[in-house]
Amino acid sequence: MDFRRIEIIFVITFIALNIFLLTTYLDKNYNNFSSENSNTKVNIADEMAKSNIELPTFQNEINKVPYVQADANDLLLKNYSKLNNQRGSIGENGFVYKSTLSEPLQLTEEKEFVAKDIDKLIAFIESNQVLFGKEYQFFRYITKSQQVVFTQIANNIPIADGTSEVVFQLDNSKRVISYEQSYAGPVTVQGESRVLITDKNAVDILYQNNELSADTIIKKPTLSYYRTLNLEELSMYAPAWFIEIESSTDTQVKRVDAISGTVLKVQTLEQPQSVTKSRLKPPAEQDSATLSSNRE
């Protein structure tokens, strides 16, 4: 009898059995996790409904997005003198350009801020009246402060942390009288794309971390970039879900890191320098309203 052959067959059978048992065990745990995760999602939705938290229609899709890098630059400082029909200056830090228009830009006669107003601002921003204007897109209108925010687009995603934006200031006659601009500079993709949590995951995380109050309306989350690393020579930007939460008294902004799922507590420049007086403020914007970029 060939004992060596029998021994090999026994070892192979033993290994195959262990692989089968391990696979069965992992599958069972995965199914249990999926079931528990699904039940948790259902419970979270139920709990939010009980708290009268109104949810948007989620995209709820898995996206992959990379980090982006912006090298340190002084492009605003070098180019702002080329602008016409405005009086402008660069702040002490060299990164924010402040402009007062010689001839205020009159928006539409409608009382509310409407899509035609966005069209007028797009035409202005792309007419060489704003440096690198074609790199910016409309992001939102802040009702309380009468400000219109355009953000720089990087990798088809807005940089929505205040470090690269154009903020137009309106007066009570709905005229643009001034604006302030920050500019991250040209950006490059760094590394491979990372799998992101969904917009629904981000809202669930806010609820689980007691960041959502009862009787509020959750606006549709927007995928954005925020500065996660700021060095002398470069800045790194990571993806985050930008979420507005409306209540009967105000509107707040919350951010959730789209890779780690961490609720961001980092400070950001939510309003232009003249409003914040060069101070950083927490990411909680009061009384703001967002219009969709496609102006539906």
Side-chain angles (χ1 to χ4, degrees):
M1 183 176 292
D2 190 349
F3 288 102
R4 180 63 178 173
R5 184 179 180 184
I6 294 174
E7 182 180 5
I8 293 173
I9 293 173
F10 177 78
V11 171
I12 293 174
T13 304
F14 180 80
I15 293 174
L17 178 62
N18 277 280
I19 292 174
F20 172 78
L21 292 175
L22 179 61
T23 302
T24 302
Y25 174 79
L26 292 176
D27 285 345
K28 181 179 180 181
N29 280 354
Y30 176 78
N31 291 333
N32 286 341
F33 172 79
S34 297
S35 176
E36 291 173 3
N37 194 43
S38 176
N39 289 336
T40 300
K41 289 181 180 179
V42 171
N43 291 338
I44 290 175
D46 289 345
E47 289 300 317
M48 284 193 278
K50 291 177 183 177
S51 299
N52 196 29
I53 297 175
E54 184 178 323
L55 299 176
T57 300
F58 293 107
Q59 182 182 13
N60 204 25
E61 293 181 359
I62 301 297
N63 295 302
K64 290 185 177 181
V65 169
Y67 288 91
V68 294
Q69 174 183 317
D71 294 334
N73 67 86
D74 56 357
L75 293 172
L76 290 181
L77 179 61
K78 287 181 176 179
N79 291 281
Y80 83 93
S81 60
K82 300 176 184 178
L83 296 170
N84 299 318
N85 301 319
Q86 52 188 280
R87 299 187 306 276
S89 62
I90 294 289
E92 292 181 2
N93 58 16
F95 300 116
V96 177
Y97 171 66
K98 304 178 182 181
S99 171
T100 301
L101 301 186
S102 301
E103 299 179 4
L105 176 65
Q106 181 67 60
L107 299 184
T108 65
E109 296 179 355
E110 299 200 34
K111 184 177 181 180
E112 303 297 327
F113 187 79
V114 295
K116 289 182 180 179
D117 296 319
I118 300 174
D119 291 335
K120 278 201 166 188
L121 287 169
I122 290 174
F124 177 83
I125 206 171
E126 293 183 351
S127 65
N128 297 322
Q129 294 299 306
V130 175
L131 294 174
F132 317 107
K134 293 183 179 180
E135 296 183 39
Y136 294 80
Q137 290 183 9
F138 171 76
F139 189 66
R140 61 175 174 156
Y141 171 63
I142 306 174
T143 307
K144 185 174 182 179
S145 57
Q146 297 186 84
Q147 293 172 322
V148 187
V149 181
F150 280 68
T151 56
Q152 182 185 354
I153 302 300
N155 190 36
N156 297 317
I157 295 172
I159 297 176
D161 65 346
T163 63
S164 196
E165 65 183 11
V166 176
V167 182
F168 294 101
Q169 182 64 57
L170 309 186
D171 63 11
N172 292 331
S173 299
K174 207 179 176 184
R175 299 182 306 167
V176 178
I177 56 175
S178 63
Y179 72 85
E180 294 190 6
Q181 179 181 9
S182 53
Y183 182 53
V187 298
T188 55
V189 170
Q190 295 296 313
E192 298 181 355
S193 295
R194 310 293 185 90
V195 176
L196 308 184
I197 63 172
T198 68
D199 50 357
K200 184 180 186 306
N201 292 151
V203 172
D204 289 347
I205 288 169
L206 287 178
Y207 183 77
Q208 291 173 311
N209 284 272
N210 298 317
E211 297 285 344
L212 300 181
S213 302
D215 304 313
T216 52
I217 299 173
I218 312 301
K219 292 293 197 70
K220 185 176 178 61
T222 301
L223 185 60
S224 66
Y225 275 119
Y226 78 101
R227 188 167 65 186
T228 185
L229 178 65
N230 182 27
L231 302 177
E232 184 176 349
E233 296 183 351
L234 60 88
S235 295
M236 293 294 296
Y237 289 83
W241 288 106
F242 179 101
I243 304 167
E244 287 186 298
I245 305 158
E246 289 187 353
S247 70
S248 59
T249 57
D250 60 25
T251 298
Q252 290 187 324
V253 169
K254 302 287 185 180
R255 292 179 177 85
V256 178
D257 187 290
I259 295 176
S260 67
T262 304
V263 178
L264 298 176
K265 300 295 185 181
V266 295
Q267 294 178 319
T268 58
L269 289 168
E270 282 293 339
Q271 292 182 329
Q273 293 282 332
S274 61
V275 177
T276 59
K277 296 182 181 178
S278 300
R279 291 184 292 109
L280 292 174
K281 63 175 288 187
E285 183 68 69
Q286 300 298 315
D287 194 19
S288 65
T290 297
L291 297 180
S292 63
S293 59
N294 59 8
R295 293 162 297 194
E296 293 179 342

